[in-house]
Amino acid sequence: MALNLVLGLVVGVILALTGAGGGILAVPLLIFGAGLSVAQAAPIGLMAVGMAAALGAILGLKAGIVRYKAALLTAAAGMLCAPPGLWLAHRTDNRWLTVLFAATLLYVAARMIRQSMKPALPADPLQDRLQDQLQNGLKPRRPPCLVSAQTGKIVWTSPCALALALSGAVAGLLSGLLGVGGGFVMVPSLQRCTDLPIKSIVATSLAVIALVSATGVVSSALSGLLNMMVALPFSGGALLGMLAGRSVANRLSGPRLQQGFGLVSGLVAAGMLLKLFL
């Protein structure tokens, strides 16, 4: 129990320091630290990440930066896709699940390192996106979900609703299949789909992750696939780590932290593959 608590603390601190996508390391920690398979670790990691995300979402709601309508629509699509992902996870060979998880982890690592090398975003994320498209020889395109200058709220259109629903569906499927919260999907998706500022994107992503994770956890518990002896101390540790990490997050955040997280994620992915094939 003490080991699971410590592992959860590590996950919580990583989440606090790196944001919504940091929870992807929960499952590898359970695999290496507690000796679980991907299918066994997935619902436990999902529970821990979901609880930590809920804490972040509540703080975001208090600050008024969660776009709750967008979060509810995105989460609804994710909640529909999480149980099929869970069903698929327990009918897929652990070796293939491990390979898929390692590949996902490598993608997150590469994205984090690439992101750390970009200059800081200006005050207007929409203008930055359009300028970036021009520099890459692409035709400038506005995102489907735009924030009204008068109300400060998203202007709802059919393309906007569809884009958010598709993002939620992908995050939900991955949350059930691999036990990841989906932050590494939601944050870049909301950056592409909306012109929200980054603080609002992260807070809204956390709300989606909390809701989608809850569906996967409940489905796992009802199916008897959630080991509560491991899940409770691990999740409790994640919450404590999240609270502790928030106090130092602002001082430690930056490109070096992103590069460090990317490097650790890449090494963990390599370790998973080596353990599988050696």
Side-chain angles (χ1 to χ4, degrees):
M1 181 176 288
L3 175 61
N4 296 327
L5 179 66
V6 172
L7 292 174
L9 277 168
V10 173
V11 170
V13 171
I14 292 171
L15 270 168
L17 294 178
T18 61
I24 195 171
L25 289 180
V27 170
L29 280 172
L30 287 166
I31 291 172
F32 289 113
L36 304 180
S37 68
V38 174
Q40 291 170 331
I44 297 171
L46 198 60
M47 179 174 173
V49 172
M51 290 175 65
L55 175 61
I58 290 170
L59 295 173
L61 281 169
K62 286 184 176 180
I65 57 176
V66 175
R67 300 271 63 87
Y68 60 89
K69 290 182 181 178
L72 288 173
L73 172 62
T74 308
M79 292 164 80
L80 289 174
C81 294
L86 181 67
W87 178 88
L88 187 61
H90 287 274
R91 284 159 181 80
T92 303
D93 185 86
N94 185 63
R95 295 174 71 88
W96 286 109
L97 279 180
T98 303
V99 170
L100 179 59
F101 195 101
T104 304
L105 201 53
L106 286 171
Y107 164 78
V108 173
R111 182 179 175 274
M112 189 70 77
I113 292 173
R114 187 171 64 248
Q115 195 175 51
S116 71
M117 296 177 178
K118 291 183 177 180
L121 287 174
D124 190 339
L126 176 58
Q127 290 303 317
D128 176 74
R129 183 186 293 113
L130 295 175
Q131 185 178 358
D132 187 58
Q133 290 171 348
L134 279 171
Q135 289 175 348
N136 287 283
L138 301 174
K139 182 180 179 181
R141 290 186 178 181
R142 291 178 175 272
C145 301
L146 295 172
V147 175
S148 169
Q150 287 75 34
T151 65
K153 298 180 180 179
I154 291 175
V155 178
W156 287 97
T157 62
S158 296
C160 174
L162 180 60
L164 292 175
L166 287 175
S167 300
V170 173
L173 184 65
L174 288 174
S175 73
L177 183 62
L178 300 176
V180 294
F184 66 94
V185 174
M186 285 311 310
V187 171
S189 293
L190 287 176
Q191 286 178 316
R192 284 195 303 270
C193 296
T194 75
D195 60 342
L196 290 169
I198 189 62
K199 286 186 177 180
S200 184
I201 285 173
V202 172
T204 303
S205 296
L206 288 173
V208 174
I209 292 164
L211 292 169
V212 173
S213 298
T215 303
V217 170
V218 170
S219 299
S220 299
L222 292 176
S223 304
L225 302 173
L226 182 62
N227 186 341
M228 297 302 292
M229 294 296 291
V230 179
L232 288 177
F234 187 79
S235 300
L239 281 177
L240 291 174
M242 181 81 168
L243 289 171
R246 284 180 65 87
S247 62
V248 297
N250 291 333
R251 283 176 284 173
L252 296 179
S253 61
R256 295 299 181 193
L257 181 63
Q258 290 179 313
Q259 290 166 10
F261 175 76
L263 179 60
V264 170
S265 298
L267 290 173
V268 170
M272 292 177 71
L273 293 174
L274 286 173
K275 182 181 178 182
L276 182 65
F277 292 110
L278 292 183

